[in-house]
Amino acid sequence: MSKYMTRQRKALLDYLSAHADEALSAQEIAAALEREGVSLSAVYRNLGGLEAEGKLRRASKGSAREVYYQYTDADACKGSLHLQCKKCGRTFHMDSSGAEQLLGVVEKAEGFAVDKADMVLYGVCEICQD
Amino acid sequence: MSKYMTRQRKALLDYLSAHADEALSAQEIAAALEREGVSLSAVYRNLGGLEAEGKLRRASKGSAREVYYQYTDADACKGSLHLQCKKCGRTFHMDSSGAEQLLGVVEKAEGFAVDKADMVLYGVCEICQD
DNA sequence: CTAGTTGCAAAGAGTTTGCATGGCG
DNA sequence: CGCCATGCAAACTCTTTGCAACTAG
């Protein structure tokens, strides 16, 4: 795991915090950070590290082929279910109780233990529903 | 959309039907079909076509970086919610009524319209549990 | 026939890695 | 200081595409 807090790692963490709950591609992140002197490989390596530490989730927007990274270390993410809007790309949280309830239903009905950490529901948010 | 039913397209459809509900990577599919004289490009092109026709879903297993294709033209897939086991890779269906119920809960609680077609819940199935 | 489809090989996009240098603690 | 992390460029993997040959209807 991360041992040194380098300028590059800090820049990445800052950027991710500032854009929490947005689905960002590695390329977008790299582009934003290259201006601050962070190389592409540093981005990829740190992203990989964070993912391994579970502070980041790798997801794919709908059925697109692109891979997105999402910072999930924030408090709001604890135990809550993620709802991602396919239009604006923003992520919403469903509170723990509601989430637990949902998962409970699936588990009882199908005997299937849903992994909350890996779970993202795609759809259209309230705001984008014109 | 597809106009001609070529030998290659048929081979692909046969293969997908035989492996419905398994998450297959394009490479796996291609490898299996190359023995039957289907080129890599034919696989990709037909896969793309089927995806465009909505007979196929592109998904990513958990948080892996790989892209998987899944044949969703089967009857069982109609309106049902997909539960994919991260251990065995198999896909299970939650019947429409249960699915509708779940989605209804989310919609009411959060005002978020979940897109059923894009929805896959990852977790561990009954068989693979412990 | 004739337009859609294939195969091949080359081009692209995105990600990873080896190695020398740099910098955190 | 020592070791981890960075930068660069080359290597890789997966996917897409151009073009001539082929074939389903």
Side-chain angles (χ1 to χ4, degrees):
Chain A
M1 324 242 161
S2 34
K3 297 224 173 177
Y4 294 166
M5 178 52 68
T6 62
R7 181 176 53 78
Q8 291 85 341
R9 182 158 12 242
K10 180 160 192 329
L12 175 59
L13 289 172
D14 284 350
Y15 186 78
L16 289 175
S17 299
H19 298 259
D21 292 337
E22 278 179 59
L24 305 159
S25 72
Q27 305 283 329
E28 288 176 314
I29 298 171
L33 294 184
E34 241 154 35
R35 284 185 266 126
E36 300 188 26
V38 182
S39 74
L40 189 57
S41 16
V43 171
Y44 274 111
R45 281 194 263 236
N46 280 307
L47 239 27
L50 288 171
E51 190 190 358
E53 292 175 46
K55 298 187 174 171
L56 209 56
R57 160 195 297 134
R58 201 183 281 231
S60 49
K61 225 178 212 168
S63 43
R65 106 200 48 262
E66 295 153 286
V67 176
Y68 290 89
Y69 293 87
Q70 223 172 332
Y71 199 43
T72 51
D73 198 31
D75 301 343
C77 296
K78 297 189 60 170
S80 77
L81 205 146
H82 289 79
L83 306 173
Q84 188 171 321
C85 179
K86 297 205 291 183
K87 287 195 179 173
C88 64
R90 208 172 308 286
T91 300
F92 300 86
H93 296 88
M94 185 163 186
D95 62 13
S96 314
S97 55
E100 294 298 349
Q101 198 184 320
L102 271 191
L103 302 189
V105 172
V106 178
E107 184 136 26
K108 259 176 209 151
E110 309 286 328
F112 189 91
V114 177
D115 185 342
K116 214 161 36 187
D118 270 346
M119 199 171 156
V120 184
L121 303 188
Y122 296 96
V124 182
C125 75
E126 197 157 23
I127 304 162
C128 291
Q129 283 176 38
D130 71 329
Chain B
M1 323 235 164
S2 32
K3 298 224 171 176
Y4 296 166
M5 179 53 69
T6 62
R7 182 175 54 76
Q8 292 85 342
R9 178 147 31 230
K10 180 159 192 333
L12 174 59
L13 287 172
D14 284 351
Y15 185 79
L16 288 175
S17 299
H19 298 260
D21 292 337
E22 278 179 59
L24 305 159
S25 71
Q27 305 283 327
E28 288 175 314
I29 299 170
L33 294 184
E34 242 154 35
R35 283 184 267 128
E36 300 187 29
V38 181
S39 74
L40 189 57
S41 17
V43 170
Y44 274 110
R45 281 195 263 236
N46 280 307
L47 239 27
L50 288 171
E51 190 190 359
E53 291 176 46
K55 297 189 175 171
L56 208 58
R57 161 194 294 132
R58 201 185 280 232
S60 50
K61 224 179 214 169
S63 43
R65 110 196 43 265
E66 295 154 286
V67 176
Y68 291 88
Y69 292 87
Q70 224 171 330
Y71 199 42
T72 51
D73 199 31
D75 301 343
C77 294
K78 297 189 59 169
S80 77
L81 205 147
H82 289 79
L83 306 173
Q84 188 171 320
C85 178
K86 297 205 293 183
K87 287 194 180 173
C88 64
R90 208 171 308 285
T91 300
F92 300 85
H93 295 89
M94 183 163 186
D95 62 11
S96 314
S97 54
E100 295 297 350
Q101 197 184 320
L102 271 191
L103 302 189
V105 172
V106 179
E107 184 136 24
K108 259 176 209 151
E110 309 286 328
F112 190 91
V114 176
D115 185 343
K116 213 161 40 188
D118 270 345
M119 202 171 153
V120 184
L121 303 188
Y122 296 96
V124 181
C125 74
E126 196 157 22
I127 305 161
C128 291
Q129 280 175 39
D130 82 329

